[in-house]
Amino acid sequence: MAVYTEVTDEALRAFLADYPLGALRAFRGIAEGVENSNYALKTASGDFILTLYEKRVDPRELPWFLALMEHLAARGIDCPLPVKATDGVALRTLAGRPAAICTFLPGVWPRRVRPEHCAPLGGALARLHLAGADFEEVRPNGLGPRAWAPLLDRCRAGGDAVQPGLIAELDAALAGILAAWPAEGALPTGQIHADLFPDNVFFLDGPEGSPRVSGLIDFYFACTDLLAYDLAVCLNAWCFETDGSYNVTKAHALLAAYQRLRPMATAERAALPALCRGAAIRFLLTRLYDWMMTPPGAMVTRKDPLEYLRRLRFFAGAEGPSSLGL
Amino acid sequence: MAVYTEVTDEALRAFLADYPLGALRAFRGIAEGVENSNYALKTASGDFILTLYEKRVDPRELPWFLALMEHLAARGIDCPLPVKATDGVALRTLAGRPAAICTFLPGVWPRRVRPEHCAPLGGALARLHLAGADFEEVRPNGLGPRAWAPLLDRCRAGGDAVQPGLIAELDAALAGILAAWPAEGALPTGQIHADLFPDNVFFLDGPEGSPRVSGLIDFYFACTDLLAYDLAVCLNAWCFETDGSYNVTKAHALLAAYQRLRPMATAERAALPALCRGAAIRFLLTRLYDWMMTPPGAMVTRKDPLEYLRRLRFFAGAEGPSSLGL
């Protein structure tokens, strides 16, 4: 759920006075996005999104995220463009929190992923990677392989209460993933989104009625990491059906469309199964941690960590890249 | 909190195909409104609100609410206007729920009420009452005086756990309120909003910078009842400070602006203190019931019932209409 921080009208007016956006027309909390407070903002200049960054986001990292979005938008990626105030600064303060206004992106995120979504997604991801190639400032992946063992340790005490034997299974799986992980420099790296779930991708119908990507949002997990890891995240997030089965048609559409714009190196293709297991354990561990740490009365949707245990098991049993749709 | 019902893109597209609103442009859940699921909907024709009516709303009552909004909008009240599909019907079904699209209203609801909000509010309420005068179909107030004793009975078992002695205090207060309640036909009745809290009133800056009402929303408690009871609800909802004190300046501004358009009868003025106690106990009882019945893990903000106990005590101790701002 969203909107943790309430903004008084006086504070909002004072904040908007620093922008060349004209008179305030509307301001509504958006029920989407888990990490930050998002408001739909309408002014005489049009529609915008106002984001107040909540505690999970490190304020020192915000300039990197905003600079990346500005870089990508300037290269034609349909991502939120931070709007600068009249003094040229996009990152500001509102209601005691870091805050920024970004452009509004049209489109609807798919509540139910269809195979037709996956090719446009693959193309958009490849374009994102290509557009990020000349963004040089590095942000390490705070939730990459080095973070997983410490995260698993923090789940050790209560994890088996979520499912008996869970921690032993994850210990073994993690050891295997880390052993199979590509060596530093072995695979192409760059700026990745690292959280490109369906609710972060907007679609509109194209001229022939088929969906096309109209927007990529929520870059607050973006980082500098293996490009193919972004594909592994997407295969996890887009290609499983509600019954837990892997939809190889979706995966193939995603990977083929991606490779039309950025063909994967042989080493990337070989590493993909391990990267998929890595992405599965990353989301499994953060969900497990949140599950264990979220007080029952909290106003946050707890996401089932065990969904990703099933995905991890699938990828562990997958026989080579072709069974993943490559 | 809002958005209980998720709508798949296929279902949304099929639903919109029945409307003359042009291509879908955006669809975002709104984090406001407690009773129903609300979505901000953007099409080639502009901005709209799509509401899915959740379990608390009786589907048989929806035609009355939609007809009232249509009636009021036709008389110049800035309230949501239900949009009819091409077959002329506004109330439809989406994702298994009754659903309707209404026009989008500009403005911002006041997170912190200032005295300058209260005169425009009073004027808007009077215009609402005048515009509803020729809407003849009656909807009894399901949360009016007859509902309070049964509601208190349902809180009896666990109420004192919320505050010791609470039930005895409410028994005595309710007996006094019902004894003082105006006899049938003694006061002017009509169509009232019955829930005109700050988050249901949008404001924009007028030409001189002072706030003017740009929209009244959420008519799903509207009913046919004493017009002055709507004033009593507003005095409860708009005129107390966070420290619990009654702001007579706000109350006077509200009442005076109301009376410029619809002067209150002598009997209404005399009844106002009892009506204010009634409104206080109505919100106290529904909040108390929700507080006791809401499981700790539910995704709903529980509102503190004791806030209204303090308001009830204030009105019980108030010495006549003048101390209320009349």
Side-chain angles (χ1 to χ4, degrees):
Chain A
M1 110 105 235
V3 187
Y4 296 91
T5 300
E6 272 292 4
V7 178
T8 66
D9 9 341
E10 297 96 316
L12 178 63
R13 267 153 228 272
F15 181 78
L16 290 177
D18 290 339
Y19 287 87
L21 296 178
L24 175 61
R25 296 280 299 156
F27 182 63
R28 311 278 151 92
I30 296 180
E32 293 163 14
V34 174
E35 304 290 327
N36 300 312
S37 302
N38 289 304
Y39 289 91
L41 171 71
K42 197 185 277 287
T43 78
S45 304
D47 287 303
F48 302 90
I49 300 291
L50 168 63
T51 301
L52 280 77
Y53 300 99
E54 301 293 342
K55 291 186 185 124
R56 275 203 175 184
V57 176
D58 182 343
R60 294 167 299 181
E61 302 202 303
L62 287 170
W64 189 89
F65 298 128
L66 297 183
L68 176 64
M69 289 190 276
E70 192 176 348
H71 177 99
L72 295 171
R75 279 150 190 82
I77 302 297
D78 291 317
C79 69
L81 172 64
V83 176
K84 289 172 177 163
T86 42
D87 64 1
V89 178
L91 181 58
R92 313 188 75 80
T93 301
L94 176 57
R97 302 228 163 266
I101 292 175
C102 286
T103 51
F104 174 90
L105 295 173
V108 181
W109 65 264
R111 271 68 176 176
R112 189 153 55 209
V113 174
R114 288 177 285 130
E116 305 90 279
H117 292 116
C118 294
L121 170 69
L125 186 65
R127 278 190 295 276
L128 182 74
H129 290 169
L130 296 172
D134 57 341
F135 185 81
E136 293 185 355
E137 212 176 322
V138 166
R139 177 179 181 264
N141 187 354
L143 290 170
R146 276 193 207 96
W148 299 338
L151 203 47
L152 180 51
D153 280 339
R154 289 203 278 169
C155 299
R156 199 165 291 280
D160 284 353
V162 176
Q163 175 161 309
L166 179 61
I167 296 300
E169 182 172 354
L170 294 183
D171 274 331
L174 181 54
I177 291 165
L178 295 178
W181 205 254
E184 188 93 20
L187 300 190
T189 65
Q191 312 308 349
I192 69 170
H193 185 286
D195 193 41
L196 204 54
F197 277 62
D199 56 345
N200 288 332
V201 184
F202 295 149
F203 290 85
L204 284 175
D205 284 345
E208 333 75 35
S210 54
R212 61 177 183 77
V213 172
S214 60
L216 305 174
I217 63 162
D218 208 346
F219 281 76
Y220 303 104
F221 289 101
C223 55
T224 315
D225 205 342
L226 307 177
L227 297 179
Y229 180 69
D230 239 1
L231 279 167
V233 170
C234 287
L235 293 175
N236 270 278
W238 291 74
C239 299
F240 285 89
E241 301 300 316
T242 46
D243 67 0
S245 66
Y246 186 72
N247 186 325
V248 77
T249 306
K250 290 180 177 174
H252 179 74
L254 198 168
L255 291 163
Y258 181 89
Q259 294 207 83
R260 274 196 287 279
L261 297 176
R262 195 189 79 80
M264 295 168 77
T266 307
E268 286 182 294
R269 298 158 60 95
L272 193 62
L275 300 181
C276 286
R277 285 148 60 205
I281 209 164
R282 172 258 185 267
F283 290 104
L284 199 168
L285 289 171
T286 51
R287 287 184 177 200
L288 179 61
Y289 182 76
D290 289 346
W291 189 271
M292 291 166 51
M293 297 301 152
T294 304
M299 293 286 295
V300 172
T301 314
R302 302 194 304 175
K303 292 178 181 165
D304 182 9
L306 298 179
E307 194 182 328
Y308 277 85
L309 180 63
R310 293 185 288 270
R311 294 177 190 187
L312 176 61
R313 286 173 177 169
F314 167 80
F315 287 122
E319 299 193 354
S322 69
S323 64
L324 301 187
L326 257 181
Chain B
M1 134 88 238
V3 187
Y4 295 93
T5 300
E6 272 292 4
V7 178
T8 66
D9 9 342
E10 296 96 317
L12 178 63
R13 267 153 229 271
F15 180 78
L16 289 177
D18 290 337
Y19 287 87
L21 296 178
L24 176 62
R25 297 280 299 155
F27 182 63
R28 310 279 151 90
I30 297 180
E32 294 163 15
V34 174
E35 303 290 327
N36 299 313
S37 301
N38 288 304
Y39 288 92
L41 170 71
K42 199 186 275 285
T43 78
S45 304
D47 287 304
F48 302 91
I49 301 290
L50 168 63
T51 301
L52 280 76
Y53 299 98
E54 301 293 343
K55 290 186 187 123
R56 275 204 176 185
V57 176
D58 182 344
R60 294 167 300 180
E61 302 202 304
L62 287 169
W64 188 90
F65 297 129
L66 297 183
L68 176 65
M69 289 190 277
E70 192 176 347
H71 176 99
L72 295 171
R75 278 149 190 81
I77 301 298
D78 291 318
C79 69
L81 173 64
V83 176
K84 289 173 176 158
T86 42
D87 64 1
V89 178
L91 180 59
R92 313 188 75 80
T93 301
L94 176 56
R97 300 228 164 269
I101 293 175
C102 286
T103 51
F104 174 89
L105 294 174
V108 181
W109 65 264
R111 271 69 176 172
R112 191 153 52 209
V113 173
R114 289 177 284 129
E116 304 90 281
H117 291 116
C118 295
L121 170 69
L125 187 65
R127 278 189 294 275
L128 182 74
H129 290 170
L130 296 172
D134 57 340
F135 185 80
E136 293 185 356
E137 213 176 323
V138 167
R139 177 180 181 262
N141 186 353
L143 290 169
R146 276 193 207 97
W148 300 337
L151 203 47
L152 180 50
D153 280 340
R154 289 204 278 171
C155 297
R156 200 164 291 278
D160 283 353
V162 176
Q163 175 162 309
L166 179 62
I167 296 299
E169 181 171 354
L170 294 183
D171 275 331
L174 181 55
I177 291 166
L178 295 179
W181 206 254
E184 187 94 19
L187 300 189
T189 65
Q191 311 307 350
I192 69 169
H193 185 285
D195 192 42
L196 205 55
F197 277 63
D199 57 346
N200 288 331
V201 184
F202 296 149
F203 290 85
L204 284 175
D205 284 345
E208 335 75 36
S210 54
R212 61 176 183 78
V213 172
S214 60
L216 305 175
I217 65 163
D218 209 346
F219 281 75
Y220 303 105
F221 288 101
C223 54
T224 315
D225 204 344
L226 307 177
L227 297 178
Y229 180 69
D230 238 0
L231 279 167
V233 170
C234 287
L235 294 174
N236 270 277
W238 292 75
C239 298
F240 286 89
E241 301 301 315
T242 47
D243 68 0
S245 66
Y246 186 72
N247 187 325
V248 77
T249 305
K250 290 179 177 174
H252 179 75
L254 198 168
L255 292 165
Y258 181 89
Q259 295 207 83
R260 274 194 288 279
L261 297 176
R262 194 190 80 80
M264 295 168 76
T266 308
E268 286 183 293
R269 298 157 62 95
L272 193 62
L275 300 180
C276 286
R277 284 148 62 204
I281 208 165
R282 172 258 184 267
F283 291 103
L284 199 169
L285 289 171
T286 51
R287 287 185 177 199
L288 179 61
Y289 182 77
D290 289 348
W291 189 271
M292 290 167 51
M293 298 300 153
T294 304
M299 293 286 295
V300 172
T301 315
R302 302 194 303 175
K303 292 179 181 161
D304 182 7
L306 299 178
E307 195 181 325
Y308 277 85
L309 180 63
R310 293 185 288 271
R311 294 178 190 187
L312 176 61
R313 287 174 177 168
F314 167 78
F315 287 120
E319 300 192 354
S322 69
S323 65
L324 301 186
L326 257 182

